[in-house]
Amino acid sequence: MKLGKELAELTAGIDQLYRATPRSDGFLDREGLIPVAVAPVEPRPLSGYQEAVEALTSLQKRLDGEAESALRRDYLAEMIDSLLALIATFGEEEISFADRVRRQIRVDTQLINDAVLDGYRATIREKLDEMCFSGGGLAEDLARWEAKVRVPVEAVLETMRELTLEARQRVTATMYPMDDQWMEPEGVRATPFSAYCDYPARKVLMNLDFPYTRFALKHLATHEVFPGHLVHLALRERYAAEGRMPLDGAQVVTSSASSALFEGIADNGLAFLDWIEGPEDELGIALQRLRSALRCNAAWMMHAQGKSLDEIVPVVATGGFQDQVTARSRLAFLGHDLRAPFVYAYWCGDMAVDAVWKTVPRERRSEFWAYLYGNMHTPRTLAKHWTL
């Protein structure tokens, strides 16, 4: 627990250094490096980033002798390296975008290849045919389906509320008692996200500028609330308070080693709840994964290949069957330096959790969830330390 407490204090100190640099008053800048902490942490006073590097390096050297388990040793080693990479970007040192993705998000993914993307498109075609949306091209038939199932903007919040209530019932029945937890949907506009879990305020902010199908809202109810971010953070808050989780588990650290599993847990919420109901949901998952993968490719095109947003938007819009206005709005945060590699946390985190989840027999689900929610993970530690 001592290493976790020291890491948490160091990370809070780095967050203070980051926030001390003048930036805009925009939403993403206000979040800082640690947008949410579910337990009080006293930041370690730091004179500058060099002192932070020295402290992290010193902590790194103690892992073999002091880490409570092999899982903690491996996780802390990855988390410390991700913070060192973040500090390099804060100090405007030379670091490639590939290294930022590899060291911060802890994945080797660069561009998601056409075979993967075309696999999602083949599933979308198959499911459209099952629902009798056929006769035209894929883009045309998908547009007809999305138009038919789109939720009117005036009904978005109430539909989200209904789906979130059902998600809570399912979580309580099969995973964790959560009847005392809630997150109220609230409409916002002109924000760089489709939905946002405001854990301290217990609100899920819904961008009403975006179009939503019923599946999209079902996905967001499970991703942002039950069994996604709200459940994950509520458990981490409880475990940290009870001394069952080290203090670093109380912090959400942006674009770090913990990011992929934070998003991956949330993106697998429908699977955890056995709530994938027929071709409409199967299509929705394939479409969501296609668009998530394309946003990774957009980040790579911008930051590794030097392409402009004007060059990227038509590629992503066409490949993901979106209009260019919607596609552009979903890429708005790519220009934010801290957030630039974060987009990989979604698709790569989804794939990392999905790969292990598929191996878990039904009778071991509770054991897996305890392992997943009760420990801090990277994609590597999740796969390495789960025993079949």
Side-chain angles (χ1 to χ4, degrees):
M1 294 289 184
K2 186 173 187 292
L3 291 172
K5 180 174 184 293
E6 290 183 41
L7 179 61
E9 291 167 351
L10 258 174
T11 307
I14 296 167
D15 179 52
Q16 284 194 334
L17 289 177
Y18 177 79
R19 292 175 185 271
T21 301
R23 290 182 172 84
S24 76
D25 191 39
F27 181 89
L28 297 178
D29 282 328
R30 290 198 305 272
E31 283 209 313
L33 177 63
I34 303 174
V36 180
V38 296
V41 177
E42 186 66 33
R44 173 169 168 170
L46 296 167
S47 60
Y49 288 128
Q50 184 54 42
E51 184 181 352
V53 168
E54 292 169 0
L56 287 168
T57 304
S58 175
L59 197 62
Q60 200 169 38
K61 292 175 180 176
R62 294 163 48 198
L63 298 182
D64 284 339
E66 297 184 37
E68 299 91 340
S69 66
L71 167 57
R72 279 296 287 170
R73 179 199 62 217
D74 292 349
Y75 172 75
L76 290 171
E78 292 199 60
M79 186 63 181
I80 288 170
D81 188 59
S82 75
L83 290 171
L84 290 169
L86 277 161
I87 289 171
T89 68
F90 298 161
E92 299 183 353
E93 297 174 26
E94 189 68 29
I95 180 169
S96 69
F97 187 65
D99 278 345
R100 290 193 65 188
V101 173
R102 179 179 58 83
R103 293 179 63 195
Q104 290 175 225
I105 310 302
R106 313 308 296 185
V107 297
D108 295 321
T109 305
Q110 295 182 355
L111 285 169
I112 288 105
N113 63 47
D114 287 342
V116 173
L117 302 179
D118 287 342
Y120 294 141
R121 294 182 185 115
T123 299
I124 293 167
R125 176 72 276 169
E126 177 187 340
K127 300 307 169 183
L128 284 170
D129 290 347
E130 286 183 30
M131 295 186 291
C132 298
F133 284 86
S134 55
L138 179 55
E140 178 188 349
D141 291 343
L142 179 63
R144 287 195 298 116
W145 173 78
E146 286 195 294
K148 184 176 186 298
V149 298
R150 184 165 295 137
V151 177
V153 66
E154 64 273 14
V156 164
L157 296 182
E158 185 54 36
T159 304
M160 180 68 174
R161 192 174 289 109
E162 292 170 3
L163 291 167
T164 304
L165 278 168
E166 182 169 352
R168 183 174 68 177
Q169 291 168 358
R170 287 173 174 266
V171 166
T172 296
T174 61
M175 293 180 69
Y176 297 99
M178 286 283 158
D179 279 338
D180 61 336
Q181 297 288 337
W182 181 246
M183 190 162 276
E184 183 66 19
E186 181 175 295
V188 295
R189 292 187 181 272
T191 59
F193 53 76
S194 60
Y196 178 85
C197 169
D198 185 348
Y199 182 76
R202 292 302 196 277
K203 293 179 180 179
V204 57
L205 306 181
M206 304 291 301
N207 186 345
L208 298 181
D209 293 330
F210 282 17
Y212 297 102
T213 63
R214 183 175 177 82
F215 170 82
L217 294 176
K218 185 176 178 180
H219 168 74
L220 289 173
T222 55
H223 181 105
E224 304 293 341
V225 198
F226 303 104
H229 294 333
L230 172 63
V231 171
H232 196 186
L233 288 171
L235 290 173
R236 283 162 64 175
E237 182 174 15
R238 182 189 309 166
Y239 296 159
E242 294 171 350
R244 295 164 57 189
M245 177 176 275
L247 193 56
D248 61 285
Q251 294 170 325
V252 176
V253 185
T254 301
S255 291
S256 75
S258 62
S259 295
L261 265 293
F262 189 66
E263 300 302 339
I265 287 171
D267 266 348
N268 279 269
L270 286 169
F272 291 172
L273 298 182
D274 284 330
W275 203 14
I276 300 169
E277 303 170 306
E280 183 167 311
D281 285 354
E282 291 163 347
L283 184 158
I285 290 169
L287 183 59
Q288 185 266 327
R289 286 177 169 167
L290 171 65
R291 289 169 176 171
S292 182
L294 285 168
R295 286 192 284 274
C296 295
N297 289 357
W300 188 260
M301 286 187 278
M302 177 180 288
H303 295 288
Q305 298 177 345
K307 294 184 179 180
S308 69
L309 198 57
D310 287 341
E311 293 175 290
I312 295 166
V313 166
V315 175
V316 172
T318 301
F321 310 110
Q322 288 180 302
D323 64 79
Q324 291 197 22
V325 173
T326 300
R328 182 180 290 270
S329 68
R330 293 302 304 269
L331 301 176
F333 66 91
L334 288 186
H336 190 269
D337 190 49
L338 173 59
R339 289 271 179 170
F342 186 79
V343 67
Y344 282 83
Y346 293 93
W347 187 81
C348 295
D350 184 5
M351 295 298 99
V353 175
D354 176 68
V356 179
W357 173 247
K358 285 177 178 176
T359 71
V360 178
R362 183 172 290 274
E363 64 271 16
R364 292 189 66 193
R365 286 184 174 185
S366 293
E367 180 187 350
F368 175 72
W369 288 323
Y371 168 76
L372 180 66
Y373 286 86
N375 296 284
M376 297 301 294
H377 281 292
T378 73
R380 289 185 185 89
T381 67
L382 182 74
K384 179 180 178 180
H385 295 281
W386 171 249
T387 53
L388 294 176

